[in-house]
Amino acid sequence: MKHHSKTLKTAALLCGLSSAAFAGEPPAQTAPASSGDSMFSDFNFCSWLANKPGTVYKDAGNPYLSEVNFFGRFHYNAAYVDGSGTNGKDWNEAYTDVRRFRLGTKIGFLNYFTLKAVANFVEDQRFNGSVLPGHRDLEWGYSDFDEATISFDAKKAFSIDQLDKLDLIYGRFKWHGGLEARTSSNEILTVERSAISNKLYDSARPTGFAVNAVKGPWNATVGIYSSDGRNVDLNVGDSIGNRGNNEFIGGWGDELMYNAEVIYSATEDLRFGFEFLYNGANKSTNAIAGMDDNLLPYKWATTLSAEYTFAANAGVNVEGFYGDNGNIDQHKTAGQYDRRGTFGGVVVTPYYWIIPAKLQLVGQYMYAASEQAQGIRSNSRYFRAADGGAVNSGRGDELQSVYGGLNWLVCGDNLKFQAGVQYETLNTNAGDGTADAVTYLFGFRTFF
C-alpha cells in the first residue's frame, strides 16, 4: 500500500487500542428551562424529541384504544476507504449512503393487544458493488417492511403475578444474534456493527412466533420462525435486499429457524447475555429454482456477552461468538466447500464519556476466524464494496478490525453525529492472500 496508507493504518490501530481501557454511560442530563415570557421560551427541542412527539393519543383507561403512536428514524453515512487488494494493487473509494429511513406506528387496543408496524422508505444500493448499474441505485419511496408484529399481554390478561412480564408475539421480527444485533441501530456505539455480529444478524426479518418473559433480573425470549420468503431477482443473486425475507408477513412453506435468548442483570453495573440460534434450512437460497428459502448463511451459532460499567463514566462491552456454517452451500459449485465449517470470534467495545452525556470516545477490536478458507466475511459497508480492489468479496478465514471514534450526542441518541476510523485486514485464499484497508466513517442519526 502507499506510504501514507500505512501511516493511516498505524494511526487507526493506536486510536482503537488507546480507547480500549474506557467505557460506560451516565444518566442523561436535562437542560434547565428558560424563564422568558414567550410561548416558546420554555420549549426544549431535545426534550420534545425524546418524549415521543409522535404520540397522538394515549389513554390507559380506554379498553378499546389505549395508544396511537407514530415514530421514525433517519440515518445517513459517508465513508472514504483506502486499501490494498489481494491483487497487490492500492485503491480508494468514497461513498455516501442513506442508511435508513423508516416510519412506523404502534397501536394499543382491546386492553391486551399491541400492533407494531415499521416500513422502510429508502433503498440505497450505491455501495453494493453489483456489476449491474441498475442495481446500484438510490430509490426513495416504500421499499419493504422492517417489522410487523402483534403482541398479546398474557400477564395482564390472565393476572399472572409470578412474572413481571409475559408477552406472546406473532409477525415479522428483527432477527437477533448477540448484543450488537439486539441493540437498536439508533443506539449502537460504532457507525456500523462489527462484521461477525452482522454475520449472525444478517438483516434477516423472518415471520414467526415468540414468547418474552421477565422476572426480576431475568429476561428470556424463545421463538420459532419460518425461513419461507418470496421470489427474488435471479440477476442480482443472494444479496441483502434480494433475499426471501422482504414480504410483509411470510408463509410457513419451508424450513424453520429457532432462537433462545437470556439476559441476566447481575447488578446495576453488570449484565450478561446468551443466545442460541438454529437454522433448519439446508439449502442456500430461493434464488435457485426448486430450493428452499433460507435467510441465514450458517447452520447454528451462539453468543455470550457482558456489559460492565466500572466507573461513573467508563465501562466495556465484551462478546464471544461460536457457530457452524453447516453445509448450506453444498449444492452450489464445488469451490464453495470453503464456506462451510465452524467459525468464531470476539468483539471488545470500550467507551468513555469525555463530556458526560454529550461527547463519547469509543473503541472496538474484532477478531473473527473460520475452519475453512472462506468461512467468515467482512461487512458490505464499505470494505468489500470497492470497485478498485480485489478483496475476494470479503470472504476469508481470518478477519481483524480496530475502530476508534467519537460520538457527539446533540440530543442524546435521538440526534447525534458519529465519526470513526477503522483498520481491517483479511486473510483469504485469493490472490496473494491478504487485503486490508483504512476506512474513515461519518454517521448522522436521528429518531423520534
Side-chain angles (χ1 to χ4, degrees), residues 17-316:
L17 294 178
S18 66
S19 60
F22 305 103
E25 182 173 355
Q29 296 179 343
T30 304
S34 60
S35 57
D37 296 325
S38 167
M39 63 179 294
F40 300 107
S41 61
D42 292 332
F43 176 74
N44 183 290
F45 175 76
C46 289
S47 295
W48 172 82
L49 190 62
N51 290 310
K52 298 182 178 180
T55 299
V56 297
Y57 174 81
K58 191 168 186 178
D59 181 2
N62 188 329
Y64 303 106
L65 186 67
S66 56
E67 180 182 3
V68 178
N69 181 37
F70 296 96
F71 52 88
R73 72 185 67 185
F74 178 80
H75 296 174
Y76 173 85
N77 284 4
Y80 178 80
V81 190
D82 188 1
S84 177
T86 60
N87 55 7
K89 296 181 180 180
D90 295 341
W91 48 270
N92 57 78
E93 298 284 349
Y95 301 93
T96 59
D97 184 9
V98 182
R99 189 66 175 89
R100 301 172 186 90
F101 177 42
R102 296 173 183 165
L103 297 174
T105 185
K106 179 181 177 182
I107 301 173
F109 64 100
L110 297 181
N111 271 329
Y112 312 120
F113 295 91
T114 301
L115 172 68
K116 178 183 178 182
V118 188
N120 293 304
F121 286 91
V122 67
E123 185 173 5
D124 193 347
Q125 294 293 324
R126 291 175 294 174
F127 69 91
N128 71 10
S130 172
V131 296
L132 303 174
H135 296 283
R136 297 198 304 266
D137 293 337
L138 169 62
E139 297 181 0
W140 295 91
Y142 170 75
S143 174
D144 58 13
F145 270 84
D146 183 64
E147 295 180 84
T149 59
I150 184 167
S151 60
F152 173 69
D153 189 340
K155 170 183 167 56
K156 181 179 179 182
F158 302 119
S159 300
I160 303 175
D161 296 332
Q162 295 84 355
L163 296 174
D164 299 322
K165 180 179 181 181
L166 180 62
D167 289 338
L168 312 180
I169 313 165
Y170 182 82
R172 176 185 175 90
F173 286 80
K174 171 189 172 182
W175 187 247
H176 284 183
L179 173 60
E180 286 184 281
R182 66 177 175 259
T183 300
S184 168
S185 60
N186 293 321
E187 300 170 356
I188 55 175
L189 298 176
T190 53
V191 176
E192 292 290 334
R193 295 179 175 96
S194 66
I196 193 167
S197 175
N198 275 330
K199 176 180 175 67
L200 271 62
Y201 166 44
D202 212 41
S203 298
R205 297 295 191 271
T207 292
F209 173 77
V211 179
N212 175 241
V214 177
K215 175 65 174 178
W218 295 92
N219 186 332
T221 301
V222 293
I224 180 172
Y225 313 86
S226 173
S227 63
D228 195 1
R230 66 171 177 87
N231 293 326
V232 298
D233 186 343
L234 298 180
N235 292 319
V236 181
D238 185 20
S239 61
I240 292 175
N242 193 48
R243 297 185 182 136
N245 64 345
N246 287 336
E247 290 182 341
F248 171 49
I249 300 291
W252 291 83
D254 287 324
E255 299 296 335
L256 300 179
M257 303 156 54
Y258 308 87
N259 84 315
E261 175 183 317
V262 178
I263 300 171
Y264 174 65
S265 299
T267 69
E268 291 184 358
D269 300 325
L270 180 62
R271 182 166 64 174
F272 297 100
F274 171 79
E275 277 191 62
F276 176 75
L277 313 168
Y278 182 80
N279 178 20
N282 56 11
K283 305 295 184 182
S284 176
T285 174
N286 65 340
I288 300 176
M291 297 299 179
D292 292 340
D293 294 351
N294 184 15
L295 306 184
L296 301 173
Y298 55 90
K299 192 67 177 178
W300 62 265
T302 59
T303 73
L304 182 63
S305 64
E307 304 165 78
Y308 180 48
T309 302
F310 54 80
N313 59 350
V316 64

